């Protein structure tokens, strides 16, 4: 920028370090970006009347709220003292850019002064230069500054002076120099998270998606929008990384697509390409230097950082690091793993170095010092949810780590107590979803390195099961891949030689559920039959009963009555055996569902009544309790007992809502409880309750699964029914027409709500005068249930009753 002199007769600003300071805009020390050194010695007058200003950066984007917050805290030009403000954040997040942009935008009455504060020696020299003291000179205040305490020499006292201390990398740099309150305004930029409790701290995060998009549109205007958006997302909206990437593309006249290809193949190498004005080091080198500095401060910081780098993108709760944990077996499976466990101090998968790293992480004082060092340099962040590593820091750390095996062993050990506990569609694990993303990342890394030890197999099964329950399309696809990986291990040339039944059955159960969710009933039944045969041969009672349930309940939903009756015969034999009460209740619940599907309502009622008696007198596992309430609600709905239907649905929803209060992510079962309870409330004519539940269900389903998901369509189907009862026909027609089209495109059993949707759509069409279309919708619903349940089922008879009433002459 042009270096213009200050006003002819500037008002001196008193500096109690030594003498007066003149000038309007100053920089002391090194040149950053477009800022140039501008200094007037004490007492020297300028020769022109044109004031010196900093030119704002024309490529500066966003940060509106940050700048506004800084102005509010600094109170520029207002009388009275103020605490220094620290703008801290990860290296390359744009702290200096924000600070200098603020200095360029201040009113003419404010004098911004830029000071290089990267080291204590250089800072002292520049402050002496600012005060007009020769570099080698001494001051009466040097002793106070050397004491590095809270009592410091006074800096300029005018609130019209803004000192920007840039690039602080250590808390020692400012001690004894910058007081906790001063007359001038002080803005400090630093990678250190916490400098002094007397300062005010603001954390600067990455750009938002809009800010990244705005910047890239300015500097790479000819690149396709999709490429720019992908570049921003891939580099996680990190300002320095994006600035370097844009510079590299422009210098080489290379497309963003080519750079993205390089980034995918050589991520750490790509982070070293390009330059950024005002930043002397590349993204990767800046991160590496901070890692080295943290490790120098506390060697165990590297171990904690490497562990976090190999975990998922969610925060890791501190409680996981505070627990005692064993190392997971990532390479070995079965008896060999247990044998190695006994000999781990001499030989085995777990090398002494790995045990040493684990012990360091488990030792409270060492761990606290390590985490402090990482937090201080903004390599990780702390929040109420735990510790989180920036994706780019994680990428660099993984590249420096080399072999991931030690970190996989420690990582799987952290979550060992949560692996393998998901056996039913409803589970009551603590922290189940907290560790989900971490297990996904650990397992994916292990698969990529061809590890297939006990922890890897068990985690694959756990993830397949849990992802199937969550119900999202991408999650279901990932879950199927994990399950198939387990089967491929056991079908490979060197399969584990013991305990093969349990993980294989669990993987097949997961595939059965996923196939069922995707509408492939034949595959779901086939997987269930295989599970039944393997668990029976292995004598695994738990999975044998689970396989019976899967086979019977899938068959009942898709209308395979022969299979359903075969399952009833199996259950009849099992009920004569002295099984535990929870197993007997689980089998009775399956019988309830099957009897309802084959229209044996009395038998279903008897089973459900017995189950409810057990709930009242026995303490049953939470999954069994919930399934029992679900079956009781289904029966009450079928026999049109509206009070019982609503009572059971509310009890089930209360249990599932309590689970959500523990921080678990909403799954398809919680959303289902919301709209099923609303459905029961409509039948009981409690429309206000139904409206509240559906509002919550719609928001939860859209935020969790997306507006185009089956879970969201299920909510709209019930909402359409409510709007029909509210006589909001236009709104009901929108919801129900959308749902009818959606479910027509779905295979069985994903289209199970189509008949209910069509019946309510017929009522709406009739109310709006479209009688012919109403008859067509009611006919389609009747034919669907007729094929599925037969002519005597309550659902089919209800459809026929609706159809006949719509056809009746008085409706003409």
């Amino acid at each position: 920028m042009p270096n213009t002199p200050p006003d002819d007769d500037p008002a001196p600003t008193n500096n109690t370090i030594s003498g007066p300071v003149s000038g309007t805009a100053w920089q002391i020390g090194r040149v950053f970006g477009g800022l140039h050194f501008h200094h007037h010695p004490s007492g020297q007058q300028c020769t022109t009347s044109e004031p010196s200003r900093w030119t704002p950066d024309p490529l500066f984007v966003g940060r509106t709220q940050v700048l506004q917050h800084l102005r509010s805290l600094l109170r520029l030009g207002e009388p009275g003292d103020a605490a220094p403000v620290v703008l801290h954040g990860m290296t390359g997040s744009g702290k200096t850019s924000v600070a200098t942009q603020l200095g360029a935008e201040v009113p003419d009455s404010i004098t911004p002064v830029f000071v290089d504060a990267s080291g204590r020696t250089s800072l002292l020299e520049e402050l002496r230069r600012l005060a007009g003291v020769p570099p080698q000179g001494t001051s009466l205040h040097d002793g106070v500054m050397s004491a590095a305490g809270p009592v410091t020499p006074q800096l300029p006292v005018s609130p019209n002076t803004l000192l920007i201390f840039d690039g602080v990398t250590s808390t020692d740099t400012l001690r004894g120099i910058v007081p906790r309150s001063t007359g001038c305004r002080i803005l400090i930029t630093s990678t250190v998270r916490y400098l002094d409790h007397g300062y005010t701290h603001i954390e600067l995060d990455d750009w938002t998606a809009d800010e990244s998009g705005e910047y890239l549109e300015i500097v790479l205007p000819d690149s396709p929008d999709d490429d720019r958006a992908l570049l921003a997302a891939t580099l996680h909206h990190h300002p320095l990384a994006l600035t370097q990437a844009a510079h590299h593309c422009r210098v080489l006249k290379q497309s963003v697509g080519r750079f993205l290809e390089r980034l995918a193949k050589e991520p750490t190498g790509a982070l070293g390409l390009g330059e950024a004005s005002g930043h002397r080091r590349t993204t990767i080198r800046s991160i590496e230097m901070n890692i080295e500095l943290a490790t120098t401060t506390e060697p165990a910081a590297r171990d904690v950082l490497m562990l976090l780098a190999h975990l998922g993108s969610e925060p890791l709760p501190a409680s996981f690091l505070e627990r005692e944990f064993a190392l997971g077996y990532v390479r070995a499976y079965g008896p060999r793993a247990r044998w190695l466990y006994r000999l781990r101090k001499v030989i085995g998968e777990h090398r002494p170095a790995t045990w040493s790293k684990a012990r360091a992480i488990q030792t409270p004082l060492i761990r606290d010092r390590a985490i402090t060092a990482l937090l201080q340099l903004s390599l990780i962040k702390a929040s109420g949810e735990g510790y989180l590593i920036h994706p780019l820091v994680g990428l660099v750390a993984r590249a420096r780590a080399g072999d991931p095996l030690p970190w996989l062993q420690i990582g799987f050990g952290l979550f060992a107590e949560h692996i393998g506990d998901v056996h039913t569609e409803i589970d009551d694990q603590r922290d189940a979803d907290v560790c989900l993303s971490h297990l996904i990342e650990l397992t994916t890394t292990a698969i990529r390195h061809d590890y297939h030890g006990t922890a890897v197999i068990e985690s694959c099964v756990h993830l397949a099961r849990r992802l199937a329950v969550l119900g999202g399309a991408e999650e279901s696809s990932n879950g199927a891949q994990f399950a198939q990986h387990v089967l491929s291990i056991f079908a490979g040339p060197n399969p584990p030689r013991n305990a093969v039944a349990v993980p294989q059955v669990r993987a097949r159960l997961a595939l059965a559920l996923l196939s069922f969710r995707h509408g492939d009933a034949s595959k779901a039944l086939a997987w269930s039959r295989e599970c039944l045969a393997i668990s029976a041969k292995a004598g695994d009672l738990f999975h044998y009963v689970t396989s019976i349930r899967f086979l019977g309940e899938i068959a009942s939903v898709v209308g395979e009555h022969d299979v359903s009756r075969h399952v009833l015969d199996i259950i009849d034999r099992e009920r004569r055996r002295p099984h535990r009460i929870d197993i007997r209740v689980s089998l009775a619940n399956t019988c309830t569902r099957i009897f309802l599907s084959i229209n044996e309502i009395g038998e279903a009622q008897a089973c459900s009544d017995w189950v409810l008696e057990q709930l009242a007198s026995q303490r049953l596992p939470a999954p069994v309790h919930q399934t029992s309430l679900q079956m009781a609600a289904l029966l009450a709905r079928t026999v049109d007992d509206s009070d019982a239907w609503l009572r059971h649905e509310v009890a089930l929803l209360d249990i599932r809502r309590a689970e959500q209060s523990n921080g678990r992510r909403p799954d398809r079962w919680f959303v289902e409880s919301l709209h099923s309870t609303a459905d029961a409330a409509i039948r009981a004519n409690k429309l206000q309750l139904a409206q509240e539940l559906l509002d919550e269900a719609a928001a939860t389903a859209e935020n969790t699964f997306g507006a185009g998901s089956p879970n969201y369509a299920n909510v709209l189907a019930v909402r359409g029914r409510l709007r029909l009862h509210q006589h909001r026909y236009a709104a009901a027609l929108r919801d129900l027409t959308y749902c009818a089209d959606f479910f027509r495109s779905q295979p069985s059993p994903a289209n199970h709500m189509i008949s209910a949707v069509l019946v309510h759509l017929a009522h709406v069409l009739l109310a709006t005068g479209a009688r012919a279309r109403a008859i067509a919708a009611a006919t389609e619903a009747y034919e669907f249930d007729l094929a599925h349940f037969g002519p005597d089922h309550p659902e089919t008879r209800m459809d026929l009753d609706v159809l006949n009433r719509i056809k009746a002459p008085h409706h003409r």
Side-chain angles (χ1 to χ4, degrees), residues 758 761-767 770-779 803 806:
L758 290 169
L761 179 60
H763 284 298
V764 173
L765 291 169
L766 185 65
R771 185 169 178 271
R773 292 173 60 197
I775 292 174
T779 301
L803 177 59
I806 292 176

Side-chain angles (χ1 to χ4, degrees), residues 422 424-425 427 464-471 513 667-669:
V422 181
T424 58
E425 293 199 18
D427 67 276
R465 197 74 182 86
R466 185 61 186 152
L467 293 174
V469 172
L470 286 174
L513 179 58
D667 56 26
R668 65 178 302 275
W669 292 109

Side-chain angles (χ1 to χ4, degrees), residues 409-471:
Q409 292 166 336
I410 295 173
F412 279 119
L414 287 178
F415 308 111
E417 67 179 274
H418 301 291
I419 298 176
D421 290 341
V422 181
H423 299 314
T424 58
E425 293 199 18
I426 309 167
D427 67 276
D428 59 346
Q429 311 180 88
R430 294 170 302 163
D431 301 326
D433 295 333
V434 171
C435 60
L436 194 63
S437 70
H438 303 307
L439 281 176
I440 290 173
E441 187 65 29
L442 290 166
T443 308
T444 302
T445 303
I447 291 173
R448 190 165 58 246
H449 286 80
D450 198 28
Y451 295 139
H452 49 267
T454 308
V456 181
I457 292 175
E458 292 295 337
S459 184
C460 279
V461 173
H462 173 94
L463 291 172
R465 197 74 182 86
R466 185 61 186 152
L467 293 174
V469 172
L470 286 174

Side-chain angles (χ1 to χ4, degrees), residues 135 149 177 249 616 630 638 643 720 729:
I177 300 175
C249 291
Q630 191 177 27
T638 303
D643 290 339
Y729 297 125

Side-chain angles (χ1 to χ4, degrees), residues 316-655:
L316 175 69
S319 59
F320 279 88
L321 295 175
E322 294 166 359
R323 301 168 183 170
E324 290 291 329
F325 61 88
L327 300 184
Y329 282 91
V330 177
R331 292 192 301 193
Y333 186 86
R336 180 171 179 270
R338 291 194 292 273
W339 177 71
L340 291 177
Y341 182 83
R342 290 193 295 270
L343 298 178
R344 65 179 181 268
K345 292 185 178 179
V346 180
I347 190 173
E349 178 178 320
H350 302 138
R351 298 173 181 173
T354 305
W355 284 104
S356 176
K357 299 177 193 300
R359 282 195 297 270
I361 293 172
Q362 288 181 312
T363 304
L365 290 177
I366 296 177
R367 182 180 63 244
D368 287 351
R369 288 198 299 266
I371 290 174
T372 299
L374 296 172
L375 288 172
Q376 282 287 77
L377 292 171
S378 298
L379 289 168
I380 64 174
K381 295 174 66 174
S383 67
E385 299 173 333
Y387 302 119
L388 181 66
I389 188 171
H390 190 282
L392 294 186
V393 176
L395 188 152
V396 175
R398 288 192 298 273
R400 291 169 64 94
D403 182 9
L405 183 60
W407 313 111
L408 296 179
Q409 292 166 336
I410 295 173
F412 279 119
L414 287 178
F415 308 111
E417 67 179 274
H418 301 291
I419 298 176
D421 290 341
V422 181
H423 299 314
T424 58
E425 293 199 18
I426 309 167
D427 67 276
D428 59 346
Q429 311 180 88
R430 294 170 302 163
D431 301 326
D433 295 333
V434 171
C435 60
L436 194 63
S437 70
H438 303 307
L439 281 176
I440 290 173
E441 187 65 29
L442 290 166
T443 308
T444 302
T445 303
I447 291 173
R448 190 165 58 246
H449 286 80
D450 198 28
Y451 295 139
H452 49 267
T454 308
V456 181
I457 292 175
E458 292 295 337
S459 184
C460 279
V461 173
H462 173 94
L463 291 172
R465 197 74 182 86
R466 185 61 186 152
L467 293 174
V469 172
L470 286 174
E474 183 177 353
E475 291 162 332
S476 296
S477 176
N478 291 337
Q481 291 178 22
F482 286 127
Q484 290 286 5
H485 181 71
V486 173
L487 298 184
S488 70
I489 290 174
F490 287 98
N494 298 302
R497 286 176 289 184
N498 90 305
V500 297
V502 171
Q504 288 198 74
V505 169
R506 291 179 182 174
R508 283 175 168 83
L509 286 173
L511 289 169
L513 179 58
L514 288 163
S515 299
F516 178 71
R517 297 275 183 260
H518 293 161
D520 194 336
S522 60
K523 274 191 177 181
L525 291 170
W527 287 121
S528 299
R529 287 191 182 98
E530 289 186 24
C531 293
L532 191 64
I534 296 173
S535 55
K537 182 178 179 180
D540 184 346
L541 178 62
F542 178 86
H543 289 99
Y544 180 66
V545 171
T546 305
S547 302
I548 292 172
R549 287 185 49 231
F550 267 54
L551 185 61
E553 293 176 19
I554 292 172
S556 70
V557 172
V558 300
E560 292 283 348
H561 298 322
D562 291 340
V563 177
S564 296
R565 293 186 184 281
H566 173 63
V567 172
L568 286 176
D569 292 339
I570 297 175
I571 293 176
D572 188 54
R573 292 196 301 270
E574 292 300 320
R575 291 172 77 176
R576 299 191 188 102
R577 299 180 181 180
H579 291 313
R580 298 193 316 263
I581 185 63
D582 58 317
I583 292 177
R584 294 168 61 199
V585 169
S586 293
L587 293 174
N589 283 326
T590 301
C591 288
T592 300
R593 183 182 285 277
I594 292 176
F595 282 133
L596 285 173
S597 72
I598 60 179
N599 199 26
E600 295 184 6
I601 306 301
E603 287 78 359
Q605 186 72 63
C607 287
S608 182
D609 289 345
W610 179 83
V611 166
L612 292 177
E613 289 175 5
Q614 308 314 306
L615 287 187
S617 60
Q618 304 278 350
R619 183 176 179 84
L620 297 173
V624 179
H625 190 152
Q626 294 184 46
T627 304
S628 301
L629 291 173
Q630 191 177 27
M631 290 301 101
L634 179 61
L635 174 63
R637 177 183 181 277
T638 303
V639 300
D640 199 21
D641 184 347
S642 59
D643 290 339
W645 181 16
L646 181 58
R647 183 172 66 254
H648 296 316
E649 292 286 7
V650 168
L652 180 57
L653 176 59
D654 287 344
I655 294 173

Side-chain angles (χ1 to χ4, degrees), residues 71-196:
R71 294 188 189 99
S72 173
L73 292 173
L74 290 168
R75 297 172 38 242
L76 296 170
E78 297 180 16
D81 291 352
V85 177
V86 181
L87 185 63
H88 67 89
M90 176 186 170
T91 181
S93 57
K95 302 177 292 297
T96 300
S97 296
V98 170
T100 52
Q101 189 73 10
L102 176 70
E105 293 178 356
V106 295
D108 292 346
S109 59
I110 305 299
T111 302
V113 180
F114 189 94
V115 180
D116 173 22
S118 56
R120 185 175 178 87
T121 301
S122 62
L123 174 61
L124 288 171
E125 289 179 354
E126 291 172 9
L127 287 178
R128 288 190 179 101
R129 214 183 314 175
L130 170 65
V133 177
Q136 300 300 321
T138 60
S139 167
L140 294 175
H141 302 294
D142 282 358
V144 174
M145 290 187 287
S146 298
V151 176
T152 67
Q154 193 174 25
L155 292 173
V157 297
S158 171
N160 293 325
T161 300
L162 171 63
L163 296 181
I164 299 175
F165 290 171
D166 184 62
V168 176
T169 59
S170 170
T171 54
D172 293 333
T173 302
L174 301 181
R175 285 176 180 162
I177 300 175
V178 177
R180 293 171 175 170
S181 180
T182 184
C184 66
R185 302 303 181 244
I186 297 177
L187 176 60
I188 302 163
T189 71
S190 178
T191 53
V192 179
R193 185 172 300 272
Y194 185 81
L195 287 175
D196 189 282

Side-chain angles (χ1 to χ4, degrees), residues 718-763:
V718 181
R719 192 175 74 180
R721 180 188 176 198
L722 173 63
R723 289 174 167 178
L724 167 63
H725 282 260
Q726 294 170 331
H727 305 293
R728 298 169 59 193
Y729 297 125
L733 185 62
R734 286 195 301 272
D735 282 347
L736 295 171
T737 300
Y738 170 84
C739 290
D741 293 339
F742 182 90
F743 289 123
R744 285 189 188 106
S745 67
Q746 301 295 307
S748 177
N751 64 351
H752 70 283
M753 290 190 72
I754 183 65
S755 59
V757 168
L758 290 169
V759 165
H760 296 120
L761 179 60
H763 284 298

